[in-house]
Amino acid sequence: MSSEKIQKTARKYALQNAVQFNGKANVKSVVGKVIATFKKEDLSPKDIIPVVSSVVKQVNRIPLNEQISELKKTAPELLQKEKKERDFSLPELPDAEKGKVITRFPPEPNGYLHIGHAKASIVDYEYAKMYNGKFILRFDDTNPENVALEFFDVQKEDLRWLGIEWDEEYHTSDHLEKHYKLAEKLIKQKDAYVCVCHSDAIKDGRFQGKECDCRDVSNEKNLYLWKDMISSSVEGAVLRLKGDMKSVNTAMRDPTLFRIIDKPHPLLGDKYRVWPTYDFAGAVEDSLSGVTHPFRTKEYELRDECYFRLLELLKLRKPHLMEFARLSIEGMPVSKRKIKPLIDQGKVSGYDDIRLPTLRGLKKRGILPETIKQFVFSQGISKAESSAAFSLVEAINRKLLDSAAKRYFFVQDPIKLVVDNAPSMKKTISLHPTDEKLGSRIIKTDNIFFVPKTDMKNLNIGDVFRLKDLYNIMITKKNKEINAEYAGEELIPDSAKIQWTAEKVIKMIVFVPGLLYENDNYNPNSLEKVEGFAEDAVSQLETGEIVQFERFGFVRIERQNNNIIGFFAHK
Ligand code: ATP
Ligand code: MG
């Protein structure tokens, strides 16, 4: 067995492994494959491991796009053989019949949607689709204190961006008269009462498991008080369910069903002042709108008892209520309640700040809607609470972008390079390492270039390196700028390949997001501003295009005034 043969096989598998793992092959994995290939020939690992180690080292030094090209040439069959995709489809719903499943997504129009809402809406929407059912978008707009007009449209836009379509749309506030009637029914049945206690007293009562005097008021008086709540200027009264003040489930200790909110509603103005709570509106709306399988996040689990008790008392149909874990992501605020103060305090630039997990923020940094969908599926719908790493989102996005994004040269922190005796060239360079359909650009070069300062630090006078995709040069002088000599075009194995731009560049700023929280502390330095030069062809790009700046990362382009700005998605 010649070591050449082992080497060849090792190289093939090292390339395959590197391509699968973002450019870095792992010696152990490659050794395994090589041993398997030669198992009949009785080779000892001692013969194989040193060869593989050295091959892996060589392969890991080449950039990913070149690894892909080489593998495509030498062993294309291994390029096809990607890791098997996991099947991320949703599990069957209980008691579900084709054509009869109805789901709903019920956002409160009080802010921009985030990746947690994406989870809920995608699951609701996909289930309706899976069963040829119906999907309802319901705006839970029954707290005029929070609701703002702008958010109805904004949330719809964001859902459409995710690729979600709904069969029906309505506002919970459209049904207030109906809610009032049902409340009256509860009062008449002695299942609800108007409570005029101070909110602190109500809290205390719940804590101590003690009933208050309002509970024993006659039906007539209760109805009178209720009508008064609705029509007059009475302050502070609430309607409570007659639950069980001693229940171990504190959610059953006479929960509030309606309260007074004296603030105009953005759609209905001053028409109503008594508004249902989530406990009441959520249950009643799910039932009345025909929803068969409503999902809620797990933190509502204790409130399920109240949900079903209400429907029981009102003799309304009971849906198949289901729960899943709230989505959370390490170092990111996945909640409107947490996002809003960050904006109000100026800690982020707005709802579309690229450090936020809002759909706007994610879109701005180049995360694709398809990525979010795959991510949601990959997380599943179990109740187990956990925090996902954002790198999972990045990995999916990278995979989707890798085959579609055009490659350009960008030099971060550039230093000028003068190549004496450089041939003037017009070089055609492909915009993608494997997909020729993505086209190419022509770069005109003369004797002036820009290269990354950091790459130059490690190189000395006399060192030869390659301007990537162009030619070799040898360093002759290192000062404020670098001088070099043209050193031929022939590829020199293992020589460093350096990113460059020609003299004509566009100055660019790329914003690079980090995690907003480190160990739960706000990190004021979470947004980095990287300055650099991009090759001239970048000036042709349009807002919204996502490209890869080679060796730097995937970047979404935006034109602002006369500048081109980049938002960094991930490596
Ligand atoms: P927030 O704290 O962001 O305001 P919320 O639950 O009050 O959260 P809503 O607009 O009331 O926000 O939520 C609409 C739907 O989205 C609900 O069904 C809710 O359970 C779901 N949802 C909200 N946040 C998440 C999340 N992080 N993960 C999964 N589902 C979520
Ligand atoms: Mg809410």
Side-chain angles (χ1 to χ4, degrees):
M1 164 71 43
S2 70
S3 100
E4 202 181 317
K5 206 165 162 198
I6 303 176
Q7 216 159 13
K8 221 169 145 196
T9 306
R11 178 124 188 145
K12 191 167 87 169
Y13 287 120
L15 284 166
Q16 181 195 33
N17 195 244
V19 167
Q20 277 175 0
F21 295 94
N22 214 15
K24 294 283 169 261
N26 169 290
V27 175
K28 256 198 199 152
S29 320
V30 181
V31 166
K33 291 254 169 79
V34 177
I35 287 179
T37 309
F38 296 118
K39 66 175 184 286
K40 284 204 192 110
E41 311 192 18
D42 200 24
L43 279 176
S44 111
K46 265 203 295 194
D47 300 326
I48 291 178
I49 292 169
V51 181
V52 171
S53 297
S54 119
V55 167
V56 164
K57 246 189 231 147
Q58 285 166 19
V59 164
N60 286 353
R61 252 184 258 140
I62 351 184
L64 181 58
N65 55 3
E66 286 169 31
Q67 292 168 344
I68 297 172
S69 327
E70 186 181 331
L71 188 60
K72 200 177 160 195
K73 263 186 238 143
T74 55
E77 72 284 359
L78 296 185
L79 195 59
Q80 308 302 333
K81 222 169 105 193
E82 287 222 3
K83 270 187 298 174
K84 250 204 182 142
E85 300 275 343
R86 252 173 72 192
D87 175 16
F88 287 134
S89 54
L90 292 166
E92 293 283 325
L93 285 176
D95 304 325
E97 243 181 273
K98 268 241 152 42
K100 293 200 175 148
V101 167
I102 303 181
T103 61
R104 51 80 180 130
F105 174 61
E108 186 175 12
N110 67 339
Y112 285 79
L113 300 182
H114 50 63
I115 195 164
H117 295 112
K119 170 174 177 179
S121 57
I122 287 170
V123 168
D124 295 328
Y125 169 65
E126 289 295 328
Y127 268 126
K129 223 166 59 175
M130 183 167 150
Y131 286 97
N132 293 330
K134 183 164 107 177
F135 173 61
I136 302 173
L137 171 61
R138 174 179 97 214
F139 286 107
D140 268 347
D141 59 342
T142 50
N143 184 352
E145 205 110 59
N146 295 343
V147 175
L149 198 55
E150 59 181 300
F151 295 124
F152 292 94
D153 282 340
V154 152
Q155 294 187 343
K156 286 201 278 185
E157 269 172 40
D158 287 353
L159 290 173
R160 287 198 190 101
W161 176 72
L162 277 178
I164 288 179
E165 291 161 26
W166 46 98
D167 303 298
E168 193 184 312
E169 170 188 331
Y170 77 95
H171 308 124
T172 300
S173 66
D174 296 340
H175 297 164
L176 235 56
E177 300 291 345
K178 179 95 201 171
H179 290 194
Y180 286 178
K181 283 217 177 76
L182 293 170
E184 221 175 287
K185 181 175 155 94
L186 288 176
I187 296 170
K188 285 182 180 157
Q189 288 172 191
K190 286 189 175 238
D191 289 319
Y193 63 97
V194 174
C195 182
V196 295
C197 297
H198 191 273
S199 58
D200 290 338
I202 294 183
K203 223 192 241 161
D204 276 357
R206 284 204 180 112
F207 185 70
Q208 294 166 16
K210 263 193 6 216
E211 299 175 357
C212 75
D213 294 341
C214 308
R215 223 179 192 252
D216 301 321
V217 167
S218 72
N219 265 11
E220 294 71 41
K221 176 134 192 238
N222 251 327
L223 263 181
Y224 171 81
L225 285 172
W226 166 248
K227 299 243 153 102
D228 223 24
M229 253 175 91
I230 292 174
S231 58
S232 86
S233 55
V234 77
E235 290 289 335
V238 296
L239 186 75
R240 295 173 72 182
L241 175 74
K242 222 176 246 181
D244 173 3
M245 290 302 282
K246 298 244 174 322
S247 173
V248 282
N249 179 1
T250 50
M252 288 310 286
R253 296 186 183 178
D254 293 12
T256 301
L257 304 179
F258 286 83
R259 74 277 204 217
I260 295 167
I261 301 172
D262 267 320
K263 201 172 169 214
H265 186 278
L267 297 172
L268 300 166
D270 295 325
K271 194 167 174 195
Y272 302 108
R273 65 189 300 253
V274 172
W275 295 93
T277 57
Y278 181 72
D279 274 335
F280 185 88
V284 163
E285 285 306 317
D286 281 350
S287 183
L288 293 180
S289 62
V291 173
T292 56
H293 294 80
F295 279 93
R296 316 208 275 195
T297 39
K298 191 175 171 282
E299 77 258 30
Y300 289 109
E301 216 168 12
L302 281 181
R303 314 210 73 88
D304 289 1
E305 193 181 343
C306 176
Y307 183 102
F308 290 116
R309 174 75 59 83
L310 271 171
L311 296 179
E312 179 93 42
L313 294 172
L314 291 166
K315 307 212 162 35
L316 293 176
R317 182 190 56 94
K318 290 181 196 158
H320 212 299
L321 187 60
M322 322 227 330
E323 261 106 18
F324 53 64
R326 230 185 135 80
L327 180 74
S328 54
I329 293 185
E330 286 159 23
M332 283 189 173
V334 190
S335 162
K336 284 178 286 188
R337 251 160 299 206
K338 289 185 195 152
I339 293 170
K340 197 163 179 297
L342 290 172
I343 295 167
D344 294 343
Q345 294 159 21
K347 287 180 169 168
V348 295
S349 60
Y351 278 107
D352 63 351
D353 191 293
I354 55 173
R355 289 165 291 176
L356 289 177
T358 53
L359 299 183
R360 303 257 159 154
L362 295 171
K363 175 182 175 185
K364 192 167 179 178
R365 74 187 272 184
I367 303 296
L368 304 169
E370 175 62 22
T371 298
I372 296 174
K373 186 172 151 186
Q374 289 188 16
F375 172 68
V376 165
F377 279 178
S378 74
Q379 295 297 296
I381 53 165
S382 89
K383 286 201 231 178
E385 305 274 355
S386 68
S387 225
F390 192 71
S391 58
L392 295 173
V393 175
E394 295 179 352
I396 298 171
N397 206 56
R398 185 180 301 120
K399 208 163 169 191
L400 293 172
L401 285 177
D402 198 52
S403 55
K406 294 175 179 168
R407 271 54 168 174
Y408 291 94
F409 291 170
F410 171 77
V411 174
Q412 176 179 353
D413 193 14
I415 183 170
K416 191 170 170 185
L417 166 75
V418 181
V419 180
D420 304 321
N421 68 359
S424 292
M425 285 187 137
K426 275 190 189 166
K427 184 94 179 170
T428 302
I429 303 178
S430 311
L431 287 168
H432 192 273
T434 53
D435 189 351
E436 277 149 29
K437 285 198 293 299
L438 288 176
S440 58
R441 78 283 201 193
I442 297 169
I443 304 183
K444 267 200 232 166
T445 66
D446 220 316
N447 64 335
I448 293 178
F449 297 86
F450 293 96
V451 288
K453 221 180 256 168
T454 45
D455 285 344
M456 290 302 112
K457 264 193 207 126
N458 309 324
L459 294 169
N460 300 310
I461 292 172
D463 284 352
V464 175
F465 67 89
R466 189 171 185 83
L467 294 171
K468 189 173 171 284
D469 297 338
L470 196 64
Y471 51 69
N472 310 319
I473 58 175
M474 186 180 77
I475 299 182
T476 54
K477 223 194 262 171
K478 273 179 87 176
N479 266 322
K480 265 205 200 123
E481 51 185 60
I482 309 274
N483 285 77
E485 267 171 23
Y486 173 76
E489 277 192 51
E490 198 138 311
L491 268 175
I492 305 170
D494 295 334
S495 83
K497 294 191 184 71
I498 303 284
Q499 286 288 300
W500 53 272
T501 67
E503 188 176 11
K504 191 152 185 241
V505 292
I506 57 166
K507 263 188 165 168
M508 256 188 94
I509 290 176
V510 180
F511 291 96
V512 179
L515 291 180
L516 265 173
Y517 294 96
E518 271 170 4
N519 306 321
D520 287 337
N521 297 317
Y522 168 73
N523 172 14
N525 304 317
S526 42
L527 189 64
E528 201 192 336
K529 200 170 150 181
V530 171
E531 295 185 37
F533 290 166
E535 65 171 275
D536 189 40
V538 169
S539 65
Q540 305 302 315
L541 298 175
E542 296 296 336
T543 291
E545 284 194 65
I546 306 167
V547 299
Q548 187 186 38
F549 284 165
E550 291 195 34
R551 298 251 168 121
F552 181 77
F554 291 92
V555 170
R556 185 174 159 278
I557 299 293
E558 221 168 81
R559 287 174 170 277
Q560 289 182 4
N561 306 321
N562 279 329
N563 297 324
I564 292 194
I565 293 178
F567 297 100
F568 183 82
H570 43 74
K571 282 236 179 267

